[in-house]
Amino acid sequence: MDEGWFKGLPNTDIAIVSAAHWFFRPIFIHRGDETLGCIYCNEPNMTQLSPDQGFKLVYSSVFKHINECQNCKSDLETIMRTISPAHFENGTWDTGGSCRRTSPFGVNQIDLQSNEMKIRTSQIEQLEVITKGDHKGKKKFGVLDVTRVMLMRPDGHPNSHWGNKWMKGYNDCVHWCLPGPIDAWNDFLMAILRQLR
């Protein structure tokens, strides 16, 4: 675990784990001093990991650390937010992709076999390892599952209207407009917290 990340954990009441899109760039995965492999690297003598493998390693490590944290509050609540999908069409963020849609998708228009849904499944599987079996009962965990509902909202991104003066010519189809679809996340989060208490 990164020391800067877990240093504040003992004073935390609610931890929200929400990493996802950072796994789609070159990234090294470590366990202690050992390098387990790399995602999107072409390093010689380096184990190549898929983003899915990286997710499993990182999420299992994070949840295990939180669950076994001796210095953490006994009532620490951890919420894992599933991946928030991007909606690039006709390219990616750096190849001219955009998101110009102005209305939501219907449930029959989303791809339940998409990479985002596969990542969501991987995230939930790692959380279930901690919340079931030998690990169950040590700490409280919940899921803020936004993937499927947000797959239906390709209309909620800034696209070219994000005002980034450093990256002109790029569209933002990852982040969400405010106010917008992510306002519902607050309601989801409050419902999950009520369930955990």
Side-chain angles (χ1 to χ4, degrees):
M1 301 303 294
D2 178 73
E3 186 177 327
W5 181 84
F6 75 79
K7 188 192 282 185
L9 198 57
N11 297 318
T12 302
D13 295 312
I14 300 169
I16 299 179
V17 180
S18 64
H21 288 282
W22 287 104
F23 285 85
F24 298 100
R25 63 180 179 84
I27 186 170
F28 291 89
I29 306 291
H30 303 273
R31 182 177 292 136
D33 293 332
E34 177 189 6
T35 301
L36 300 178
C38 187
I39 301 169
Y40 297 123
C41 296
N42 290 320
E43 300 280 330
N45 303 318
M46 177 65 61
T47 301
Q48 300 301 306
L49 300 172
S50 69
D52 184 54
Q53 290 171 306
F55 271 109
K56 287 180 180 176
L57 289 167
V58 169
Y59 273 90
S60 65
S61 180
V62 167
F63 297 144
K64 183 176 187 287
H65 181 81
I66 291 171
N67 202 42
E68 296 175 357
C69 180
Q70 297 296 316
N71 298 328
C72 290
K73 296 178 180 180
S74 61
D75 59 347
L76 170 64
E77 298 170 344
T78 301
I79 309 295
M80 190 262 312
R81 187 205 39 127
T82 61
I83 186 170
S84 171
H87 288 96
F88 287 101
E89 294 184 41
N90 304 312
T92 59
W93 74 272
D94 59 345
T95 62
S98 64
C99 45
R100 293 188 173 94
R101 295 191 182 264
T102 56
S103 59
F105 282 150
V107 71
N108 61 336
Q109 292 177 284
I110 62 173
D111 180 6
L112 295 177
Q113 304 303 313
S114 68
N115 283 334
E116 284 96 347
M117 287 300 287
K118 291 175 185 169
I119 291 167
R120 173 203 170 270
T121 299
S122 177
Q123 290 174 305
I124 290 175
E125 286 172 354
Q126 295 313 305
L127 188 64
E128 286 175 346
V129 167
I130 290 297
T131 59
K132 294 186 165 103
D134 295 339
H135 302 287
K136 187 175 180 179
K138 291 185 179 178
K139 297 281 190 301
K140 296 178 184 178
F141 290 88
V143 177
L144 177 57
D145 190 354
V146 301
T147 308
R148 184 174 175 164
V149 69
M150 297 312 281
L151 277 170
M152 295 192 297
R153 295 306 308 264
D155 58 320
H157 301 285
N159 194 35
S160 61
H161 307 288
W162 62 312
N164 190 325
K165 60 185 174 187
W166 296 281
M167 295 181 69
K168 294 207 178 297
Y170 293 96
N171 295 312
D172 185 353
C173 303
V174 174
H175 300 97
W176 300 93
C177 295
L178 290 173
I182 64 166
D183 292 332
W185 293 11
N186 293 328
D187 295 326
F188 299 158
L189 178 60
M190 292 309 296
I192 292 163
L193 291 172
R194 279 192 293 274
Q195 284 178 349
L196 290 175
R197 295 186 175 166

